[in-house]
Amino acid sequence: MSLKSRLLNAVAGLAGLALLASNLTGCAYLQQPRHWGTCALVGGLLGAGIGAASGIVIVDNATSDNRSSNHDARAWGGLGGAAAGALVGTLAGHYLCDEVIQPPPPPPPPPPPPPPPPPPPPPPVKEKLVLRGVHFDFNKSKIRPGDAAVLDEAATTLKANPNVTINVNGYCDAIGSEEYNLKLSDRRSDAVVDYLVKAGIPSSQLIPHGYGKTDFVATNDTPEGRAQNRRVELVPNQ
C-alpha cells in the first residue's frame, strides 16, 4: 500500500472517532441537559492523550516503509488524534458523568376554592299571639272567679312579649240600649285592664275599647248565645 493511501486511511480512522463522538448525543438518555464540569475536562484530557497516541501508532503503521517522512507524519497524526480524542473524551465525560440539570419543580397546585358561604338563615317566623278572652254575667262588669285563671295565663304570655300591645275589646249582648251597652262594654274592658295591670302588665301595653252591642259571635235569641256575646277579647296589635 502506498504512503498516500495509508495516510488517507489514518485520517478516515480519526474522522470515524469524531463521528462516534457526534453520535453520543443521539441517545435519548444522553440528551438530558447537564452541567459542564470536571468529567468533561478529565474526559477531554484523557481522550486527547489516547487520541494522540492512537494517531501516532496509526501513522507509524502507515509510513513504516518511508522513514524519511515519518517524523512529520507522526506530528500531524498525533495532533489529529489528540483533537479527535479530546472531542470524544470531552463529550463522553460530559454526557456520562457530569451532573444532570434537574428541571425546576412543578408549581404547587392552586389552593382549593373556599367553600361557599352558608345560606342566610330564614327570617324568623313571627309567632301569632293568641289570647283567650273572658265572659261576663248579665249586666255585670266584674271578673268572675272562673275567668281569673284565663287572665293569669294571659298575663304570663304578655310578660314574655313585652313589645306587643294588646287591644282589650269589650262587647255586650243585644239586650238594652246602645248607649247603655257602650258604657257597659267600656267598664268590662277597663275591668280586664285593671286585673292585668295588678298582675304586673304595664298599662301602656294595654289599649281598652268598648264596642257595645256589636260584633256578635253567637245568636242573641238564646241565653247561651247572649252569654257568648257578653265578652272581652284580647287582640294583639300585630
Side-chain angles (χ1 to χ4, degrees):
M1 181 181 293
S2 65
L3 174 61
K4 182 177 180 181
S5 297
R6 292 177 179 178
L7 287 176
L8 289 176
N9 289 336
V11 172
L14 294 176
L17 291 176
L19 180 61
L20 174 63
S22 64
N23 286 338
L24 284 174
T25 61
C27 179
Y29 168 76
L30 299 179
Q31 287 180 348
Q32 293 177 313
R34 296 171 180 268
H35 296 288
W36 289 92
T38 304
C39 289
L41 176 61
V42 173
L45 293 176
L46 292 176
I50 295 172
S54 299
I56 292 173
V57 170
I58 292 172
V59 170
D60 284 344
N61 292 331
T63 60
S64 58
D65 58 350
N66 189 357
R67 298 298 181 183
S68 61
S69 60
N70 188 40
H71 184 271
D72 292 338
R74 284 166 56 89
W76 285 107
L79 290 175
L87 175 62
V88 173
T90 299
L91 292 177
H94 174 66
Y95 284 104
L96 295 177
C97 180
D98 278 336
E99 181 183 0
V100 175
I101 299 176
Q102 298 298 329
V125 178
K126 190 174 183 180
E127 183 180 358
K128 185 176 182 180
L129 196 61
V130 178
L131 300 172
R132 291 193 296 162
V134 294
H135 295 83
F136 292 84
D137 293 332
F138 177 72
N139 200 27
K140 301 293 183 180
S141 60
K142 183 179 179 180
I143 303 298
R144 300 181 301 181
D147 290 328
V150 175
L151 294 180
D152 290 340
E153 178 185 344
T156 301
T157 303
L158 293 177
K159 289 177 182 178
N161 297 270
N163 296 325
V164 178
T165 57
I166 301 298
N167 295 302
V168 184
N169 301 330
Y171 299 94
C172 299
D173 59 26
I175 299 177
S177 66
E178 292 184 1
E179 182 180 359
Y180 179 84
N181 279 294
L182 184 60
K183 292 178 181 179
L184 178 58
S185 64
D186 284 336
R187 292 196 299 270
R188 287 172 175 170
S189 62
D190 290 340
V192 172
V193 168
D194 291 341
Y195 188 98
L196 294 175
V197 169
K198 290 177 182 178
I201 305 303
S203 59
S204 59
Q205 196 175 352
L206 305 170
I207 305 174
H209 297 283
Y211 291 101
K213 53 178 188 179
T214 60
D215 296 333
F216 301 122
V217 294
T219 180
N220 284 287
D221 295 335
T222 63
E224 293 79 9
R226 291 192 295 271
Q228 294 183 46
N229 291 328
R230 298 191 297 267
R231 72 195 187 279
V232 167
E233 296 178 351
L234 302 176
V235 181
N237 192 14
Q238 295 177 334

